[in-house]
Amino acid sequence: MTEREKAAQGLWYDANNNAELLQLREDAEELCFRLNQTAPKDKAAREALLRQLLPHRGQNTTILSPFLADYGYNCFIGENVFLNHGAYLMDGAPITIGAYCFIGPNCGMYTANHPLLAEERETGLEQALPITIGEHCWIGGDVTILPGVTIGSHTVIGAKSVVTTDLPDHVLAVGNPCRVLRSISEEDSIF
């Protein structure tokens, strides 16, 4: 079994000494670099680069530079999604962002998990656990989402939160670690 296959199955794998994974990350890094050096008004060039980097991206997505992804092919971004400046998707495992999500600036989504024991960390092995964000979520700026987390649809996460565990649908959650404050209801309507 290849290291890429191990990663896809959620097994411990070597991401740092495997030629295939190193090449895939270098290719993605090159595309990110080119994207981040392309003028915002050069929409055709940016779109061509995003098509290469993020083949599983829905229609009407906006991704502001700088943007970084480790591989790109493990990012599944729904339609009408907005990723603000400074997003980093560490996509060793799939990162799924549902339709109509708004991701604030400097958000990081990290799928890599590392051993707790120092001697095991020294092996360089890691485990990639998927991150899933439901539809119609709003995630504030400077939010960190850790490996294996699922965020329910219609959920709002306050700025500077660190999401360490799953969050249900229709809630407002904030903090480090991120915790549910309350449910979101029709009483929250601005109309």
Side-chain angles (χ1 to χ4, degrees):
M1 179 179 303
T2 68
E3 298 304 301
R4 184 174 177 181
E5 290 168 337
K6 289 178 189 175
Q9 292 184 26
L11 302 173
W12 292 96
Y13 71 102
D14 187 347
N16 300 307
N17 299 300
N18 178 265
E20 178 188 18
L21 293 177
L22 289 169
Q23 184 64 56
L24 288 167
R25 281 201 312 276
E26 187 175 272
D27 293 346
E29 186 175 14
E30 176 70 20
L31 289 169
C32 288
F33 176 82
R34 291 173 49 205
L35 175 68
N36 294 330
Q37 301 304 311
T38 302
K41 289 185 178 182
D42 193 349
K43 296 191 186 319
R46 290 182 62 80
E47 179 59 30
L49 290 164
L50 284 168
R51 269 197 308 276
Q52 291 177 68
L53 179 62
L54 302 170
H56 309 291
R57 181 176 54 97
Q59 298 290 322
N60 301 315
T61 58
T62 300
I63 299 176
L64 301 181
S65 292
F67 171 80
L68 297 172
D70 278 5
Y71 299 99
Y73 62 79
N74 267 337
C75 298
F76 299 85
I77 301 172
E79 294 183 356
N80 301 297
V81 168
F82 180 89
L83 276 85
N84 212 321
H85 299 284
Y88 175 35
L89 307 185
M90 181 189 282
D91 63 323
I95 295 176
T96 303
I97 301 172
Y100 294 94
C101 286
F102 182 95
I103 312 295
N106 301 314
C107 284
M109 300 176 197
Y110 305 100
T111 64
N113 190 28
H114 299 281
L116 294 177
L117 299 178
E119 58 274 8
E120 291 178 355
R121 271 195 311 280
E122 291 170 5
T123 67
L125 294 178
E126 63 183 52
Q127 178 187 42
L129 301 173
I131 293 172
T132 304
I133 300 171
E135 296 182 345
H136 299 275
C137 288
W138 184 88
I139 297 174
D142 298 306
V143 168
T144 299
I145 302 172
L146 296 183
V149 167
T150 296
I151 297 169
S153 294
H154 302 269
T155 288
V156 174
I157 299 173
K160 298 188 184 253
S161 294
V162 178
V163 186
T164 61
T165 60
D166 293 352
L167 296 171
D169 295 346
H170 298 279
V171 296
L172 171 62
V174 299
N176 180 3
C178 191
R179 303 218 189 273
V180 173
L181 285 183
R182 63 181 177 83
S183 294
I184 297 172
S185 69
E186 290 302 317
E187 293 175 10
D188 292 302
S189 175
I190 63 169
F191 298 108

